[in-house]
Amino acid sequence: MTADAPVRRLSGVGPKVAERLAGLGIHAVGDVLLHRPSRYEDRTRITPLAELLPQTPALVVVRVEHAEVRMGRRRSLMVSASDGSAWLGLRFFHFGSGQQARLAPGAWLRVFGEPRMAGYQLEMVHPEIEVVADAAAGHAITPQLLAIYPTASGVTQARLRDMADQTLALMARDDFWPEILPRDLSGPALAMTARQAVERIHRPPVDADLAALIEGNDPACRRLAFEELLGHQLGLRARRRQIRADKAPAMRDAGRGLAPLFEGLGFSPTGAQRRVIGEILADMSAAAPMLRLVQGDVGSGKTVVAAAALLTAVDNAWQGAFMAPTELLAEQHHAALTGWLAPLDVPVWLLTGKKKHDEAAREAIEAGRPGVIVGTHALFQASVVFGALGLAVIDEQHRFGVDQRLALRNKAAKKGRAATTAHQLIMTATPIPRTLAMSAYADLDTSVIDELPPGRTPIKTVAIPNTRRDEVIARIGQAVADGRQVYWVCTLIEASEKLEAQAAEAAAEALADALLGVRVSLVHGRMKAAEKAKAMNAFKAGDIDVLVATTVIEVGVDVPNASLMIIENAERLGLAQLHQLRGRVGRGSVASHCVLLYKAPLSDTARSRLSALRGTNDGFAIARADLDLRGPGEVLGTRQTGAATFRIADLVRDADLAEAALAVADDVLAYHPREADALITRWTSAAENYAQV
Ligand code: ADP
Ligand code: MG
């Protein structure tokens, strides 16, 4: 058996279990080796009962002295056991007659569990038990730190342990899971071999530092993390090469040009927008697929840039897809693009995966009619067939993962023409530091929109404690009286969407009560898409003065007349998110204000965050401040799926290893192509290959 054989080949793994294992990222037999334990149980010694501590799991050897079924609130089997030094209770709520028989008085048991105080006595509920012949047999253990694995429903710890046993036994053979890294490679984490590292994370020596193993700082974790980062990096580079080798539609027809689009905008594109559009059109005119990331601060006008690319695709008789992270945004983009492109006779369809009217759009899309399709991830659905997808624009990339990008890419095709790959344009408002960009997007070229449209008055930001809430509310009344519109953003970090919705509802009511005659409305994540759109449209049309919202408005929402934003609990949000939120105002020419309402006392970092926001409106400066405050990597956020798919590595913790992997990647590709392939297979391809099945 080889490491890339399907995991079903292990004994005890049937199709059902294999399916659940896939959810854990275990597809091939070799993946079992890379399934890192989340913790370890100390089974290095037998603890005398007299030394047991509450809440500290331990291995003990005891004799059953007494056992009875108690009827109480819940029927339970209560066993009193002793090792001569003290007593211990063992309680079972689920038990059969077999279990009862084994736990009869006189039986010797080896027990592992977590004792808790129950009355005056320590008790273990449903501990792991093993019947042994006598005390001596009970004490004869092989000391070990037992690996406990992250698991999924339907996959027991025992199953995972058994799979690890089988796979480690296979690894003892030389040809199964061999060393790959070239010997001449040097790096900060190469003190041990990968095989030694794997052995160590699954079967740590009894003197290992468990905290280091759990947190990933153990040399074994670092050894594997380095190899993983390298494999990932090589995979991205290989993928880039592979995509570049595909054929893409060369969009060389200048068509009507972009002049008609620009004339209808009502403003003239900035120099930065024109430059980036130029870079994009140059890419699109080539027969190799464009893979370009556009970074531009909130409000820098990325949508127009996308519109220019989409129009070019349509003028070359192809379809362009524009994908947004939320339905709300998809609808907004649909409205904006319709406003700009419909007058040029470019059809703009909206596909959200829900509405009935999708039918007509789908037909046109499938027939390959040139036009623009705006949608959410519903565009990825297998049932959406593009007749002639030539360009895919993905907005606010940090919400999507590499796999989703690829899914869209695979949809590119045109009936009656040779198979092609669509050009890809990815847009993000989150500036990404270099190492991170290289680790997550090594397959992309980058353009930066480094200029804001003229006439924007910078947003004035103030931080006010929530004890002065009444003042802030009075200020809202004033702003509304002056004909301006206001966002009130309710934030609850790590709380449920439900709680957040409740908080928003309460805030909306309170505001409506406090501000008579002011039209207050609400948007939150628990509302139906149609309701959300209705509220947004009313706000956009000026029929609503104050929009109370949850962070659903974080990205992309565009209402130029809104010039005051209040952010509640601002101290709990990260810099990048606050900057994104704040970017919803300051879009028109009136002076805009952002009030960061906070609850005192502020922590030092919260204070630094709020003052960074007060100090600058520049997204790149904010990203740098964010880096200083949080360290590298966080900037990508947990939604950055590319980063989330690492098995061992963590871009924040292992930033030095990422750097080292970048440094050697070229050499490995150039001088060790076979090893490069093997690393890619080991660390990246399993999930992808199997995902397509
Ligand atoms: P973002 O980069 O955050 O996606 P948008 O594309 O939503 O920004 O643009 C923000 C606002 O600025 C929109 O109302 C858009 O119409 C407007 N806008 C874009 N480019 C310009 C420009 N060159 N001059 C004036 N307004 C512009
Ligand atoms: Mg946008």
Side-chain angles (χ1 to χ4, degrees):
M1 187 171 353
T2 52
D4 57 3
V7 71
R8 263 178 288 111
R9 296 279 300 281
L10 291 177
S11 81
V13 181
K16 270 240 170 63
V17 172
E19 208 172 283
R20 304 210 150 130
L21 288 169
L24 294 170
I26 301 174
H27 308 276
V29 175
D31 293 338
V32 177
L33 297 175
L34 306 176
H35 190 54
R36 191 178 139 216
S38 49
R39 60 189 179 85
Y40 299 85
E41 281 175 2
D42 185 347
R43 302 195 181 196
T44 53
R45 66 180 205 114
I46 306 288
T47 306
L49 291 187
E51 291 173 23
L52 273 191
L53 294 172
Q55 270 76 47
T56 307
L59 190 61
V60 298
V61 172
V62 294
R63 180 172 180 269
V64 176
E65 305 295 341
H66 183 77
E68 66 178 7
V69 175
R70 293 208 185 144
M71 297 315 280
R73 211 153 33 97
R74 265 176 86 192
R75 188 168 163 268
S76 66
L77 173 62
M78 186 61 212
V79 172
S80 294
S82 157
D83 67 352
S85 76
W87 289 83
L88 175 69
L90 307 174
R91 192 189 284 273
F92 302 86
F93 293 105
H94 312 284
F95 57 94
S97 49
Q99 173 92 319
Q100 230 172 313
R102 271 184 294 148
L103 298 177
W108 278 93
L109 309 173
R110 184 156 58 216
V111 180
F112 184 87
E114 183 177 319
R116 289 155 203 264
M117 286 311 287
Y120 294 105
Q121 177 181 253
L122 282 170
E123 181 178 294
M124 291 179 180
V125 178
H126 282 273
E128 207 182 296
I129 52 170
E130 199 183 333
V131 178
V132 290
D134 51 29
H139 278 84
I141 56 163
T142 316
Q144 59 170 330
L145 295 169
L146 187 70
I148 305 295
Y149 297 96
T151 186
S153 85
V155 185
T156 61
Q157 212 36 253
R159 167 77 54 226
L160 285 167
R161 203 171 292 160
D162 177 60
M163 288 167 55
D165 283 341
Q166 292 182 51
T167 318
L168 288 169
L170 284 167
M171 195 178 73
R173 298 183 348 209
D174 278 345
D175 54 343
F176 182 91
W177 219 80
E179 287 301 317
I180 301 177
L181 284 192
R183 273 165 217 273
D184 56 346
L185 212 61
S186 61
L190 298 173
M192 64 176 80
T193 66
R195 293 159 63 100
Q196 287 166 336
V198 161
E199 184 78 35
R200 186 174 163 89
I201 64 169
H202 291 278
R203 305 272 180 274
V206 294
D207 59 351
D209 176 353
L210 285 189
L213 272 168
I214 293 166
E215 282 152 25
N217 299 318
D218 185 271
C221 305
R222 286 177 54 81
R223 170 63 181 76
L224 295 173
F226 172 73
E227 192 177 306
E228 176 170 38
L229 288 161
L230 181 58
H232 185 78
Q233 183 61 217
L234 294 170
L236 283 172
R237 291 181 192 200
R239 180 148 71 195
R240 180 191 166 87
R241 251 186 325 188
Q242 195 187 338
I243 295 178
R244 289 304 208 142
D246 283 357
K247 277 194 76 63
M251 301 188 180
R252 291 186 184 136
D253 191 341
R256 63 195 116 179
L258 297 176
L261 170 68
F262 291 167
E263 275 156 26
L265 290 176
F267 52 77
S268 124
T270 61
Q273 282 169 319
R274 288 176 193 273
R275 174 175 45 77
V276 172
I277 290 171
E279 288 164 3
I280 292 167
L281 295 196
D283 282 359
M284 285 170 58
S285 71
M290 162 170 74
L291 291 165
R292 186 167 288 277
L293 177 72
V294 172
Q295 297 187 15
D297 203 356
V298 255
S300 61
K302 293 185 288 294
T303 322
V304 177
V305 170
L310 291 164
L311 176 62
T312 303
V314 174
D315 277 350
N316 281 270
W318 289 86
Q319 297 173 324
F322 189 129
M323 187 170 60
T326 65
E327 249 173 80
L328 195 60
L329 268 182
E331 278 161 21
Q332 273 212 22
H333 284 320
H334 177 251
L337 291 171
T338 303
W340 293 331
L341 298 175
L344 309 177
D345 291 325
V346 174
V348 184
W349 298 288
L350 179 65
L351 205 66
T352 54
K354 280 191 191 150
K355 302 227 175 71
K356 288 199 199 93
H357 78 238
D358 277 3
E359 263 332 291
R362 269 170 205 263
E363 253 170 60
I365 295 164
E366 197 164 329
R369 267 182 66 197
V372 172
I373 303 106
V374 184
T376 57
H377 51 273
L379 292 181
F380 293 129
Q381 283 166 9
S383 66
V384 182
V385 181
F386 292 88
L389 184 66
L391 168 69
V393 181
I394 301 173
D395 194 21
E396 307 296 351
Q397 152 69 16
H398 60 293
R399 298 264 177 138
F400 294 106
V402 170
D403 295 345
Q404 282 172 306
R405 258 161 47 201
L406 289 175
L408 197 52
R409 168 197 161 217
N410 291 337
K411 284 188 170 294
K414 185 157 182 168
K415 284 191 184 134
R417 291 199 198 172
T420 55
T421 294
H423 295 291
Q424 278 186 61
L425 183 62
I426 291 128
M427 307 200 300
T428 177
T430 314
I432 303 156
R434 195 194 71 94
T435 314
L436 295 181
M438 293 288 290
S439 302
Y441 308 115
D443 53 343
L444 303 177
D445 297 309
T446 307
S447 294
V448 182
I449 310 182
D450 50 7
E451 184 185 348
L452 287 180
R456 298 258 167 97
T457 32
I459 306 164
K460 276 220 179 64
T461 301
V462 292
I464 295 181
N466 61 6
T467 46
R468 287 165 55 197
R469 206 181 167 94
D470 290 348
E471 263 170 66
V472 174
I473 292 177
R475 193 160 158 184
I476 294 177
Q478 190 55 50
V480 171
D482 294 344
R484 292 156 55 187
Q485 288 175 286
V486 182
Y487 289 107
W488 181 286
V489 185
C490 294
T491 67
L492 288 176
I493 233 160
E494 278 167 347
S496 66
E497 215 177 44
K498 185 173 163 197
L499 288 177
E500 202 171 62
Q502 282 169 356
E505 273 161 21
E509 261 175 49
L511 284 173
D513 284 349
L515 297 163
L516 290 177
V518 168
R519 298 163 299 177
V520 179
S521 191
L522 186 66
V523 245
H524 59 66
R526 307 250 300 173
M527 285 164 58
K528 293 221 173 68
E531 290 175 73
K532 275 190 275 194
K534 201 171 145 215
M536 277 316 300
N537 290 337
F539 189 59
K540 215 167 174 168
D543 298 336
I544 288 183
D545 305 309
V546 179
L547 186 70
V548 176
T550 55
T551 47
V552 294
I553 63 155
E554 175 190 344
V555 287
V557 170
D558 184 39
V559 179
N561 190 46
S563 60
L564 174 59
M565 170 173 284
I566 323 292
I567 304 178
E568 265 196 291
N569 301 320
E571 79 280 3
R572 297 197 234 169
L573 295 190
L575 257 182
Q577 204 182 3
L578 285 167
H579 178 65
Q580 283 276 334
L581 279 169
R582 175 174 67 172
R584 301 306 111 218
V585 293
R587 304 197 145 222
S589 51
V590 275
S592 289
H593 296 268
C594 176
V595 177
L596 305 170
L597 265 187
Y598 67 87
K599 187 157 174 277
L602 284 178
S603 70
D604 286 347
T605 41
R607 187 181 309 278
S608 312
R609 280 202 297 266
L610 299 190
S611 88
L613 278 166
R614 288 207 316 267
T616 180
N617 278 306
D618 174 352
F620 283 85
I622 297 223
R624 274 193 300 277
D626 207 13
L627 255 182
D628 291 344
L629 286 170
R630 290 196 294 173
E634 280 294 293
V635 176
L636 286 175
T638 46
R639 283 179 295 235
Q640 213 299 322
T641 347
T645 53
F646 288 114
R647 293 163 189 265
I648 313 270
D650 174 321
L651 282 178
V652 183
R653 182 189 64 217
D654 303 322
D656 63 322
L657 300 179
E659 197 70 62
L662 286 180
V664 299
D666 277 335
D667 274 1
V668 175
L669 272 180
Y671 302 115
H672 306 282
R674 255 185 323 135
E675 285 80 359
D677 281 347
L679 284 170
I680 294 169
T681 308
R682 172 176 293 177
W683 290 101
T684 69
S685 66
E688 273 161 35
N689 294 341
Y690 286 89
Q692 284 165 15
V693 177

